[in-house]
C-alpha cells in the first residue's frame, strides 16, 4: 500500500493525438510536456469515452460510458449549451466526491461543461472550489455569433467576470492552481486543471503568437506547455514531486481542419469515432513510482481514472455501477496487466464501434443505408486504412457479440441507462447589459466549434 498521492489531472480541450512533440509533432515545441513524458510514462492506446466535450468530461469524472449517466445526447444536442436545463446528476459520484471523503482538498480550475445550472456546478460534485468557465469558450458573445449570454468566469458558484480577456485566462488559471497547491502542500489534494485551449476561438497572447511556427494554434499549445511547466516547477519548489501523480490528456481529438491541429497518424477528427476523434495523449508522471521514459501500449480509457484514483487514495468505489477498471498496476509499471478487455466507441447514443487489444469493429458510421461491418487491425494499421472484415469472419463474429452485449446494457434501449440531471426553469449565468464594462463586449474572432 502506497501513501495516497496528490493528483493533478490536466485536461485540454480539443488537443489532438499528434499535437505534442512527444507524440510526433514537428510544429509545436512542447519541452515541458516532453520532459513530463521522459520522467514518466506515455500511453499510446488511451481513449476518451466520447469524441465531444460534455460526454467526454462527464464520463471521465464518473468512470462511466456517457449513456450510463444520461450524457450521450442532450435533447438531440451533442453537448450542453448555456442555460440548458440538463447536467450531471448529483446522484452520480465523481472522483472528486470520493477523494474529498478521504480528506483530499479538491479544486477545479478551468472548463467544466457538465451543466451550468447551480445544481450541476463542480461545487455540487465534490470540488471544494471552482475557478473557470462553465462551458466552451465559443459559447459567449462573438463576432457574427449567435445571441449567447456573455461568457462567464466563475468562482465557486458566483460569476466574477464576463467577456474577460481570453488571452490572459491561462495565466490566471495557473496562478489559481499554484495558490491551491501551496495552500494544500501538507495534505493530500486533487487538482483538476481543464484548459480553455485549444478550443476555438484561439485568442492567444501576442508574445506566444510572435514565436509560434503554427499560428494561433501553436501559440495555444505553447500556453498549455508553459502552464504544465509552471505546475511542475511548483511541485519541485515544494518538494512534492515524489508524492504527486501528474496526468495530462485532452477531452477529444482535434478538429484537424485549417486551424493547425493534428491527430496524426490517426484517421478522423473531433466528433467522429475514427481513432482521431477519441484516441488521445496520456502522460503520467509520479516520480519513483511510475517508470520513467516508458511507452505503454495497454488499452485504457479515461473512464478508468476514477477506479484508479480510488485505489491509490484508498477511497471507496461509487455506490452505483460504473464501467471503468483499475489501472493502477498498469500505471505502476506492470506490462502484463490487462484490466480492460475492450472499449466502446459511442457517438451520442449510437454504439458505432468496439475494440479489443488488437482489432476494432465498426458497425456504423451513422449512415444506416451504407453501413456494413468493417474490421481494422489497430496494431498493424493505426490509420484504419484496410478493412479486413472479409478475411476474419471469426473476429467480426466475436466482436459483434461483444458490441451487442454492451448495447443491451447501454444502447438506446439499454437496461442500465440512468437519467441525467434536469432542473425546471433554467436560467443563464449572465445576461448581456450594454452598460457593463466588458473587456470585450464581443470577441473579435468569429471561429467556433
Ligand atoms: Mg473538447
Amino acid at each position: 500500500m502506497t501513501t495516497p498521492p496528490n493528483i493533478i489531472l490536466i485536461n485540454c480541450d480539443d488537443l489532438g493525438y499528434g499535437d505534442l512533440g512527444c507524440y510526433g509533432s514537428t510544429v509545436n515545441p512542447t519541452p515541458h510536456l516532453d520532459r513530463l513524458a521522459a520522467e514518466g510514462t506515455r500511453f499510446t492506446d488511451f481513449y476518451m469515452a466520447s469524441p465531444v466535450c460534455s460526454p467526454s468530461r462527464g464520463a471521465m469524472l464518473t468512470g462511466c460510458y456517457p449513456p450510463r449517466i444520461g450524457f450521450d445526447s442532450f435533447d438531440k444536442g451533442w453537448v450542453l449549451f448555456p442555460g440548458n436545463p440538463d447536467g450531471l446528476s448529483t446522484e452520480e459520484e465523481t472522483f472528486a466526491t470520493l477523494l474529498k471523503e478521504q480528506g483530499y482538498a479538491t479544486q477545479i480550475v478551468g472548463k467544466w461543461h457538465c451543466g451550468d445550472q447551480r445544481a450541476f456546478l463542480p461545487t455540487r460534485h465534490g470540488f471544494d472550489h471552482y475557478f473557470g468557465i462553465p462551458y466552451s469558450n465559443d459559447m459567449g458573445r462573438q463576432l457574427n455569433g449567435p445571441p449567447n449570454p456573455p461568457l462567464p468566469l466563475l468562482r465557486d458558484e458566483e460569476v466574477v467576470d464576463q467577456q474577460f480577456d481570453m488571452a490572459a485566462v491561462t495565466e490566471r488559471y495557473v496562478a489559481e492552481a499554484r495558490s491551491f497547491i501551496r495552500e494544500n502542500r501538507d495534505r493530500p489534494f486533487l487538482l483538476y486543471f481543464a484548459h480553455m485551449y485549444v478550443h476555438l476561438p484561439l485568442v492567444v497572447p501576442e508574445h506566444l503568437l510572435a514565436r509560434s511556427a503554427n499560428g494561433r494554434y501553436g501559440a495555444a499549445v505553447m500556453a498549455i506547455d508553459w502552464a504544465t511547466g509552471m505546475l511542475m516547477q511548483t511541485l519541485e519548489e515544494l518538494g512534492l514531486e515524489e508524492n504527486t501523480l501528474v496526468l495530462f490528456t485532452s477531452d477529444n481529438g482535434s478538429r484537424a481542419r485549417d486551424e493547425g491541429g493534428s491527430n496524426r497518424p490517426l484517421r478522423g477528427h473531433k466528433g467522429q469515432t475514427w481513432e482521431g476523434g477519441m484516441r488521445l495523449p496520456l502522460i503520467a508522471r509520479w516520480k519513483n513510482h511510475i517508470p520513467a521514459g516508458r511507452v505503454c501500449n495497454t488499452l485504457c480509457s479515461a473512464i478508468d481514472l476514477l477506479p484508479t484514483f480510488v485505489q491509490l487514495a484508498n477511497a471507496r468505489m461509487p455506490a452505483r455501477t460504473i464501467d471503468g477498471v483499475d489501472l493502477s498496476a498498469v500505471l505502476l509499471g506492470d506490462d502484463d496487466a490487462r484490466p480492460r478487455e475492450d472499449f466502446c466507441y459511442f457517438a451520442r447514443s449510437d454504439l458505432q464501434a468496439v475494440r479489443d487489444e488488437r482489432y476494432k469493429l465498426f458497425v456504423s458510421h451513422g449512415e444506416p443505408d451504407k453501413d456494413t461491418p468493417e474490421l481494422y487491425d489497430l496494431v498493424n494499421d493505426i490509420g484504419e486504412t484496410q478493412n479486413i472484415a472479409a478475411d476474419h469472419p471469426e473476429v467480426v463474429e466475436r466482436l459483434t457479440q461483444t458490441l451487442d452485449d454492451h448495447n443491451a446494457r447501454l444502447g438506446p434501449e439499454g437496461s442500465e441507462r440512468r437519467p441525467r440531471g434536469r432542473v425546471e426553469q433554467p436560467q443563464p449565468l449572465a445576461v448581456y447589459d450594454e452598460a457593463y464594462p466588458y473587456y470585450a463586449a464581443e470577441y473579435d474572432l468569429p471561429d467556433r466549434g
Side-chain angles (χ1 to χ4, degrees), residues 342 344 351 354-355 397-407 409:
D342 52 55
C344 295
L351 179 51
V354 65
R355 76 161 282 187
E397 187 179 342
R398 177 170 56 80
L399 286 177
T400 300
Q401 186 61 52
T402 301
L403 189 138
D404 289 347
D405 291 346
H406 284 293
N407 241 340
R409 289 192 293 272

Side-chain angles (χ1 to χ4, degrees), residues 79-299:
V79 299
L80 291 161
F81 286 88
N84 276 183
D86 299 321
L88 184 61
S89 168
T90 45
E91 301 287 307
E92 305 294 346
E93 296 178 295
T94 70
F95 54 68
T97 303
L98 303 168
L99 266 52
K100 183 180 166 78
E101 267 183 22
Q102 284 301 98
Y104 276 62
T106 56
Q107 163 102 39
I108 167 174
V109 173
K111 176 175 169 178
W112 174 239
H113 216 177
C114 290
D116 70 352
Q117 299 303 296
R118 186 166 295 235
F120 306 132
L121 291 177
T123 39
R124 308 297 175 101
H125 279 293
F127 290 97
D128 298 327
H129 295 292
Y130 171 37
F131 181 65
I133 55 176
Y135 35 68
S136 302
N137 60 317
D138 66 348
M139 295 179 180
R141 291 170 50 83
Q142 258 178 285
L143 185 65
N144 303 328
N148 288 331
L151 185 65
L153 185 72
L154 278 78
R155 180 171 291 285
D156 300 334
E157 299 186 1
E158 302 303 320
V159 175
V160 293
D161 206 346
Q162 302 177 41
Q163 294 287 122
F164 52 88
D165 181 5
M166 281 197 217
V169 82
T170 299
E171 194 178 0
R172 292 170 76 177
Y173 285 174
V174 167
E176 182 80 11
R178 279 163 59 88
S179 296
F180 170 75
I181 295 170
R182 270 201 206 92
E183 280 165 22
N184 294 287
R185 60 195 292 178
D186 295 324
R187 59 182 286 205
F189 63 78
L190 165 72
L191 170 64
Y192 174 34
F193 191 117
H195 279 283
M196 181 186 73
Y197 293 139
V198 291
H199 199 289
L200 301 179
L202 291 164
V203 183
V204 295
E206 288 299 323
H207 74 286
L208 296 182
L209 185 58
R211 285 163 44 209
S212 171
N214 186 27
R216 294 182 174 280
Y217 197 97
V221 176
M222 288 162 85
I224 289 169
D225 188 63
W226 166 79
T228 308
M230 288 301 288
L231 297 180
M232 292 163 74
Q233 173 70 25
T234 308
L235 294 177
E236 193 178 332
E237 284 167 11
L238 299 174
L240 296 175
E241 290 177 304
E242 288 180 24
N243 62 336
T244 304
L245 166 62
V246 181
L247 296 162
F248 179 94
T249 188
S250 173
D251 70 336
N252 52 254
S254 167
R255 283 165 48 91
R257 295 180 193 167
D258 306 331
E259 299 98 12
S262 169
N263 300 313
R264 274 191 296 270
L266 309 178
R267 179 174 180 176
H269 52 75
K270 175 180 180 178
Q272 296 185 321
T273 50
W274 294 110
E275 295 292 286
M278 297 174 68
R279 196 197 281 214
L280 279 314
L282 176 69
I283 302 169
R285 187 193 77 168
W286 180 11
K287 282 197 171 176
N288 292 339
H289 292 83
I290 288 178
R294 168 171 167 249
V295 177
C296 178
N297 306 116
T298 303
L299 174 61

